[in-house]
Amino acid sequence: MDPHTKDELLKLFRSKLNAAMRFYLETCTRCGTCVEACHVYASMGQVRYIAAYRHEIVRRIYKKYFKARGKIWPSVGESKELSEMAVEELYDAAYSCTGCRRCMVYCPFGIDTQMLMSIAKLLLIGASAEPEILSLLADTSVEKGKSLEYFKESFLAGIQRLEAEVVKKWQSEAGDQVIPVDVEGADMLYVALAGAHSIIPAAAVFNAAGENWTLSLFEAVNFGAFVGDPTKTKLILDRIVNEAKRLKVKEVCICECGTAYRVMKQLSGKQPFKVTSITEVHNRYLKEERIRVDKRRFPDPVTYHDPCQIARNGGVMDDPRYILSRLTDDFREMAPDPRYNWCCGGGGGLVAMGEDTLDFRMKSSRVKADQVKDTGAAVLATACENCHTQLSNLNDHYKMGVQVRFLSSMLADALIQNG
Ligand code: SF4
Ligand code: SF4
C-alpha cells in the first residue's frame, strides 16, 4: 500500500476514535463468551466468523498505529500492518457481519461489533474497496434528494395510482386525501420505502385511525448507513429531518425498515418531533381503540421475527407482540427469548448486495431457519423490508413452508370497517 493511501486511511481510523471506541478496542479479554453468539459462526463453524476474531483485525491495526507498544515492538504488541491483505481481511469481517449486535448482548463488557465494523467499513471506503453497489445506491439516493423538483411530479402521479388500492382496504372519508403528500401542519410525517407494499397498508391504517398524516417525498432507506459512509448517511437523513421541520410535524413515523428506524432514532439529534416506528404507532392505535381488527382473519399459527435494528438495537419488542395478540389466538414465540433472537442474516447491506451475497446469506443463517421451523408456525411475520426479503429467501432455500408477511399488512388486512 502506498504511503499516501496509508496516511489517508489512518486519518479515517483516527476520526472514529472516540471514548467508546477506544474502550471496545482495549477491553476484549478473549474470554470466548461471544463464540456461539454469532449466527454466522453458529451456522458455518468457521473461526473467522467469531465476533472477537472480527474485532481482532481492527484491533491489531489500532495497536500498530495508535498504541506505543505496537509501534515499538510489533511482534509482542500483536499489531498488524495496514496492507492490501489487511484490507481484504477487513472486507471479509465487515461484510459477513450484519451488525445485529447479538454478540454484544453476550459479551460481559458489551463490546459493540457493529461499531468496530464501522471502522472497517470506513477504511474500505478510503481504500475504494467497499461493495460498489452500495456506494452506487447511496450516491443515487443523495442525488435524488438534491433534485426533488425533477421527480416530484412523477412521484405524485405514482402515488395517485395507489389510492384505489388503499380504498379497497379502508373506505376512507378523507376524500381526495387518501394519500396526503407535502401537507404543512400535519401531525405525522410517514416515511415509506419505494414500492406500493410500504404505502398502501400504512395509508389504510392511518386513515382508519383518523390520523392527520402526510407522506414523505423521500424514501426511508439509508444506503449511506449500509456502506458505512457517515457523510452520505447524514445527507440522506438530513433531508427527512428538514422536510419534517418544514412541514412542522410532531412525529416522524418510519416504515418497516430497521436501518432507517435506527438511523433516524439514534442519529437525528434533538428535534421538535418524536421518532417512532410504524409498529409502535400501530400498537398505539390498537391500545387507544382508534382501530378495530378481526382476529378470525389469521386462524393459522403465527410467529414473529424481531428485526435486530428495531428490537435489540431499537428497544421495540413489546409492541409487535401486543399487535399480534390482537391478530391471532395462536402466537408462537421463537425460543429462547426475543433479546437473543437470531438475526435473519440479511442486514448490514447484505440483502442490498443481492445475488452476490445470496449463497453466503443462506449458509450463514441456517440457525435462523431452524428457529423458525421449530415454532411450527404457518405465518412468519416481521417488520423490516430487509428481513422480509432474507426470510423469504430462507423460506425457499430451507423449505420452511411458511408464509412471510409484513406485520403492517396483516394489520391492514384485518381492519374492521367503520371501527
Ligand atoms: S454483530 Fe451480529 S453478525 Fe456481527 S459478529 Fe456480532 S453476532 Fe455476528
Ligand atoms: S465476549 Fe467480549 S470480551 Fe469475551 S471474547 Fe467476545 S468480545 Fe472479547
Side-chain angles (χ1 to χ4, degrees), residues 37-40 51 54 96-103 113:
C38 179
H39 64 279
V40 186
R54 297 176 203 273
S96 60
C97 169
T98 57
C100 73
R101 286 182 164 139
R102 191 173 191 268
C103 49
T113 306

Side-chain angles (χ1 to χ4, degrees), residues 21 55 97-101 103-104 111-119 262 266 309 313:
M21 202 67 97
H55 307 167
C97 169
T98 57
C100 73
R101 286 182 164 139
C103 49
M104 187 179 170
I111 295 178
D112 186 342
T113 306
Q114 188 183 56
M115 289 272 282
L116 290 174
M117 290 303 103
S118 77
I119 297 180
R262 181 181 60 80
Q266 295 176 356
Q309 306 303 340
N313 298 339

Side-chain angles (χ1 to χ4, degrees), residues 137-147 232 235-236 239:
L137 287 166
D139 289 342
T140 307
S141 186
V142 169
E143 284 309 311
K144 206 170 158 189
K146 282 185 198 159
S147 45
K232 289 174 191 168
L235 280 170
I236 296 168
R239 62 199 193 179

Side-chain angles (χ1 to χ4, degrees), residues 28-34 52 55 107-109 111:
C28 178
T29 57
R30 300 183 187 174
C31 66
T33 313
C34 61
H55 307 167
C107 175
F109 305 103
I111 295 178

